Amino acid sequence: MDESPTIEPAAPPGPLDFLEFAEARSGPLFRTAYLLTGGDSHLAEDLVQEALSRMYVRWRRLSRLENPAGYAQTVLANTFLSLRRRRSSSEKVTEEFPELAVSDRDSALRVTLLDALRQLSPPDRAVLVLRFWEDRSVEQTAADLQLSATAVRSRSHRALGRMRTLLGDSFAEETARC
């Protein structure tokens, strides 16, 4: 028998290769992300995680690149820019919190109302939430739920009656204390 050495084909890159890459590159990626975010370490961690997750999905192809580390930096920068575009219109950084602390009575009342709402049918619940919690008009609620204005009014009337029955006297006592 001829015992010539057998050449096994190279294993395709897999999750272990990616883990080694991620461990080796996460420090430099974090430093870059930290600078991009202006010193926000939590956002920098999120950016690194997002960039690495985007690379993991395509790792079989990306591991064959000549410079996957450079590609990771590009993905990180593009992820940052994409996040900035999404956040720029919705999030405003502030140093103070506008909300005031909720008193215990308010939270007890909220829990009572939420419990009663859970007992309503989903369509009734939707009408009450849109009409009274989100303070929408009958017409807006009707449009959102694809109902007629008359249907919204009658459903509101029935649902409020059911809420009064469910809450009973405890609700009157609870609201009197607030």
Side-chain angles (χ1 to χ4, degrees), residues 13-19 21-22 54-64 68:
L16 291 179
D17 295 334
F18 178 77
L19 289 176
F21 173 80
R54 287 181 182 184
M55 288 192 68
Y56 179 76
V57 173
R58 297 177 185 86
W59 182 245
R60 286 195 185 277
R61 186 172 44 98
L62 296 177
S63 63
R64 296 184 196 119

Side-chain angles (χ1 to χ4, degrees), residues 44-92:
E45 290 172 354
D46 290 345
L47 283 173
V48 170
Q49 183 177 1
E50 179 69 23
L52 289 175
S53 67
R54 287 181 182 184
M55 288 192 68
Y56 179 76
V57 173
R58 297 177 185 86
W59 182 245
R60 286 195 185 277
R61 186 172 44 98
L62 296 177
S63 63
R64 296 184 196 119
L65 290 175
E66 186 175 325
N67 186 7
Y71 187 81
Q73 293 286 358
T74 302
V75 171
L76 179 72
N78 288 338
T79 302
F80 170 73
L81 293 173
S82 173
L83 178 71
R84 279 288 156 220
R85 280 191 292 271
R86 280 183 277 154
R87 289 179 68 199
S88 66
S89 64
S90 64
E91 222 173 359
K92 305 291 184 221

Side-chain angles (χ1 to χ4, degrees), residues 130 136-149 152:
L130 292 177
R136 295 188 186 175
S137 69
V138 171
E139 292 75 22
Q140 288 172 324
T141 303
D144 290 344
L145 297 177
Q146 298 177 349
L147 298 170
S148 68
V152 169

Side-chain angles (χ1 to χ4, degrees), residues 5-140:
T6 58
I7 300 173
E8 294 182 26
L16 291 179
D17 295 334
F18 178 77
L19 289 176
E20 292 170 7
F21 173 80
E23 287 176 5
R25 296 306 305 161
S26 62
L29 286 172
F30 177 78
R31 284 188 288 279
T32 302
Y34 188 80
L35 295 172
L36 286 172
T37 61
D40 185 348
S41 62
H42 299 292
L43 182 56
E45 290 172 354
D46 290 345
L47 283 173
V48 170
Q49 183 177 1
E50 179 69 23
L52 289 175
S53 67
R54 287 181 182 184
M55 288 192 68
Y56 179 76
V57 173
R58 297 177 185 86
W59 182 245
R60 286 195 185 277
R61 186 172 44 98
L62 296 177
S63 63
R64 296 184 196 119
L65 290 175
E66 186 175 325
N67 186 7
Y71 187 81
Q73 293 286 358
T74 302
V75 171
L76 179 72
N78 288 338
T79 302
F80 170 73
L81 293 173
S82 173
L83 178 71
R84 279 288 156 220
R85 280 191 292 271
R86 280 183 277 154
R87 289 179 68 199
S88 66
S89 64
S90 64
E91 222 173 359
K92 305 291 184 221
V93 179
T94 181
E95 300 239 350
E96 56 189 63
F97 295 105
E99 299 90 22
L100 300 175
V102 176
S103 71
D104 287 339
R105 284 185 264 163
D106 287 345
S107 62
L109 177 61
R110 181 176 291 268
V111 168
T112 303
L113 287 172
L114 289 174
D115 185 46
L117 269 175
R118 272 188 221 104
Q119 296 179 44
L120 296 177
S121 69
D124 287 348
R125 193 177 327 142
V127 167
L128 289 185
V129 167
L130 292 177
R131 280 281 293 126
F132 301 106
W133 247 311
E134 294 190 8
D135 197 28
R136 295 188 186 175
S137 69
V138 171
E139 292 75 22
Q140 288 172 324

